[in-house]
Amino acid sequence: MATTSARTLRLLSMLGAGRTWSGPELCDRLGVSPRTLRRDVEVLREMGYAVDPVKGIGGGYRLGPGGALPPVVLDEDQVVAVVVALQTASTALRGIEESAQRALAALRHVMPRRLRTDADLPIIPVVNQWEFPAEPIEAALVREVGAAVRRRQVLRLDDDGDPLRVEPHHLVVWAARWYLVAFDLWAARWRVLRLDRITVHPPTGAGFAERPLPDGGPVEFVRHTADRGDRPAPWPCLGHVELALPAAVVAEFAPGGAVVEAVSTTSCRLTMGAWSWSGLAGLYLTFGAEMTHVEPAELREAFGAAHARLARAVVVGGSS
């Protein structure tokens, strides 16, 4: 049986979840008798916590408003969740960067060394101009790859079915999507891999030394890499156009869920979607570049309609 202090902390952690617990539930979770549970509740009340009784069949307890601020008691999965949330918070909210860093520092300071190692994920969050959310990614995958990045261990993985052996260097969150900046040992080149497209094999245990990163560092490398494993987002309207712009330029400013493919050094093919064909045409127009090979026909028709509306706007706007 847990010691009284450890058991009381666990009880406080359970009550701090914000739900109402029945007496039998708490007794079962803590492995104590109803009498011991009542005694532990009294200990918390003496410490200043507002533990309210709940009437009904079996009775119960909940942590009421007011009183002392409970200490945070987290298991390993909760620690990883908090660390990832704090590290990526600046991609969703502005003005909290300093607070998030101070919270991270405080969390790491009180964390046991073993848990601190597991939770200290090397993540670089980056805000894109157009955030089109992606599907949530598995926390276990982030934790596994992040551990390999932190420990500088070679990874064996499949990227959409293609086997790779890479040196994982950085995790970057860009346009609400997770990317791994890695050096491909077989192809002898730097790669940007979508984390949700890979399957990781058991650890190799092989270490690697630091390499000079691509010019500009990992963030700029992700921003300007067109071939980073993206797929078109599932929009109602999907089209593609060749733009008279380099792929690296379009890759930086394309919305999340778009796919950029280099055609030449000065042009690229951009595939993306939108809520309507006119909306999609508008997105393409924001690049301000010459366009060819416009597909499908619905998108060409939307450009024609937009041309007519813009022509009328010019005439009306110029009339006195």
Side-chain angles (χ1 to χ4, degrees), residues 238-306:
L238 188 70
H240 55 262
V241 167
E242 284 191 16
L243 295 173
L245 287 172
V249 173
V250 176
E252 180 176 7
F253 296 104
V259 176
V260 183
E261 303 166 273
V263 175
S264 68
T265 57
T266 58
S267 65
C268 67
R269 185 173 188 259
L270 175 60
T271 301
M272 61 180 176
W275 53 94
S276 67
W277 291 111
S278 58
L280 183 57
L283 290 178
Y284 280 112
L285 288 173
T286 61
F287 286 90
E290 294 296 322
M291 292 180 282
T292 57
H293 299 86
V294 178
E295 295 291 345
E298 290 88 345
L299 180 57
R300 293 195 296 272
E301 292 170 2
F303 276 123

Side-chain angles (χ1 to χ4, degrees), residues 32-199:
V32 298
S33 67
R35 180 179 179 182
T36 301
L37 174 62
R38 288 193 294 271
R39 186 166 60 244
D40 288 346
V41 167
E42 287 304 317
V43 170
L44 290 178
R45 287 170 175 163
E46 290 172 1
M47 294 171 63
Y49 300 108
V51 183
D52 296 334
V54 177
K55 296 181 179 180
I57 299 175
Y61 300 94
R62 63 169 171 247
L63 194 62
L69 181 66
V72 179
V73 183
L74 303 173
D75 59 29
E76 296 189 15
D77 290 339
Q78 290 172 320
V79 167
V80 172
V82 172
V83 169
V84 171
L86 287 171
Q87 287 185 290
T88 59
S90 61
T91 64
L93 296 173
R94 293 178 180 172
I96 65 168
E97 295 85 356
E98 182 182 348
S99 297
Q101 289 302 315
R102 287 192 289 108
L104 270 173
L107 188 60
R108 288 176 178 136
H109 181 71
V110 300
M111 222 182 276
R113 185 178 299 276
R114 175 186 58 79
L115 198 55
R116 188 185 313 156
T117 301
D118 288 341
D120 195 13
L121 297 175
I123 302 169
I124 304 176
V126 187
V127 177
N128 188 14
Q129 284 75 12
W130 299 348
E131 293 284 358
F132 287 71
E135 289 295 318
I137 193 169
E138 293 292 336
L141 178 61
V142 174
R143 187 174 183 178
E144 186 175 10
V145 176
V149 172
R150 186 182 62 249
R151 295 166 183 163
R152 290 295 185 255
Q153 291 185 345
V154 173
L155 275 178
R156 287 192 311 112
L157 53 86
D158 291 333
D159 177 36
D160 267 346
D162 296 329
L164 296 176
R165 188 178 177 90
V166 303
E167 296 174 352
H169 283 259
H170 290 277
L171 283 176
V172 177
V173 182
W174 159 251
R177 286 153 178 82
W178 292 75
Y179 297 94
L180 172 65
V181 176
F183 188 81
D184 187 333
L185 292 171
W186 291 341
R189 67 183 181 93
W190 286 97
R191 299 278 301 274
V192 176
L193 305 173
R194 271 283 294 268
L195 210 59
D196 55 346
R197 305 278 188 258
I198 69 174
T199 302

